[in-house]
Amino acid sequence: MRILLTAVALTLSLPAAAQTGISGRIVPVDRDNNARIDREHSAGRLSRGDARRAKGENGVTGSLADRYASDGHLSDDEQAEITNRNNAMRSILDAPARAAPKR
């Protein structure tokens, strides 16, 4: 629910930012990561602890993106940090599992 409200708030704030001349770039946060984490955990490729840590890290990335976008402008460094964090999470989720986690 919080993610949905955040997405709606960002969507609604973009036209106002465009009217004032502020850069209206959208933060490329991969909000689907939590669903992917759940699928990997259900398939047995992530332990419960690893899934919990991955969701926490994804939450930190989302919070950073929200905080950075709150002023209506993203610097190149802010954009790069969010993109790099998303790419790191995506590469972890896409990597083949080394071994099944112990249960």
Side-chain angles (χ1 to χ4, degrees):
M1 184 66 158
R2 187 180 95 194
I3 293 172
L4 177 63
L5 292 175
T6 303
V8 170
L10 286 174
T11 303
L12 294 176
S13 67
L14 287 178
Q19 290 173 2
T20 60
I22 298 173
S23 174
R25 291 189 297 178
I26 299 173
V27 182
V29 176
D30 191 352
R31 304 274 185 197
D32 190 42
N33 279 344
N34 282 341
R36 293 182 67 199
I37 292 166
D38 289 337
R39 283 195 303 271
E40 293 296 313
H41 175 61
S42 296
R45 290 185 290 266
L46 278 179
S47 68
R48 187 176 76 186
D50 288 340
R52 190 173 348 112
R53 282 187 290 279
K55 282 186 176 185
E57 186 64 29
N58 197 48
V60 168
T61 301
S63 295
L64 279 174
D66 293 342
R67 194 172 334 142
Y68 290 163
S70 67
D71 66 353
H73 175 75
L74 289 173
S75 70
D76 291 337
D77 291 337
E78 292 169 340
Q79 182 85 28
E81 180 178 0
I82 298 303
T83 300
N84 289 337
R85 291 176 73 90
N86 282 328
N87 290 341
M89 178 65 70
R90 204 172 303 122
S91 69
I92 290 169
L93 294 174
D94 290 343
R98 293 184 187 165
K102 295 179 183 177
R103 292 187 178 207

